[in-house]
């Protein structure tokens, strides 16, 4: 992973820690729905926070392809033009 993606991962994890009701270890391989237990509404709310934070718009078809924190970080990096 590039430094940009690593920075994005750190930002995502920091935002998740504030959102999750219980402490969870989060890595790039963490499944957003399975491991974190986020339902579709929670995922959409979280994505909106990230879109604001990174000044990107993540299309619905891209969100559907995201399974892990690493996938999400790479998607944001690509949308920011750093891939």
């Amino acid at each position: 992973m590039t430094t940009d993606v690593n920075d994005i991962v750190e930002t995502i994890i920091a935002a998740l820690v504030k959102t999750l009701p219980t402490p969870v270890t989060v890595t790039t391989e963490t499944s957003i729905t399975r491991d974190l237990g986020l339902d579709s509404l929670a995922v959409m709310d979280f994505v909106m926070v990230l879109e604001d934070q990174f000044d990107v718009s993540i299309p619905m078809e891209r969100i559907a392809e995201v399974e892990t924190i690493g996938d999400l970080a790479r998607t944001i990096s690509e949308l920011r033009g750093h891939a």
Side-chain angles (χ1 to χ4, degrees), residues 28-54:
T28 56
E29 298 303 314
T30 300
S31 169
I32 295 169
T33 55
R34 186 184 65 241
D35 297 332
L36 300 178
L38 298 179
D39 63 20
S40 58
L41 181 59
V43 170
M44 291 309 299
D45 287 344
F46 185 63
V47 166
M48 288 177 14
V49 167
L50 294 177
E51 287 177 328
D52 289 344
Q53 193 159 8
F54 289 106

Side-chain angles (χ1 to χ4, degrees), residues 5 23 27 42 58 63 70 77:
V5 173
T27 69
I58 305 173
I63 293 171
S77 180

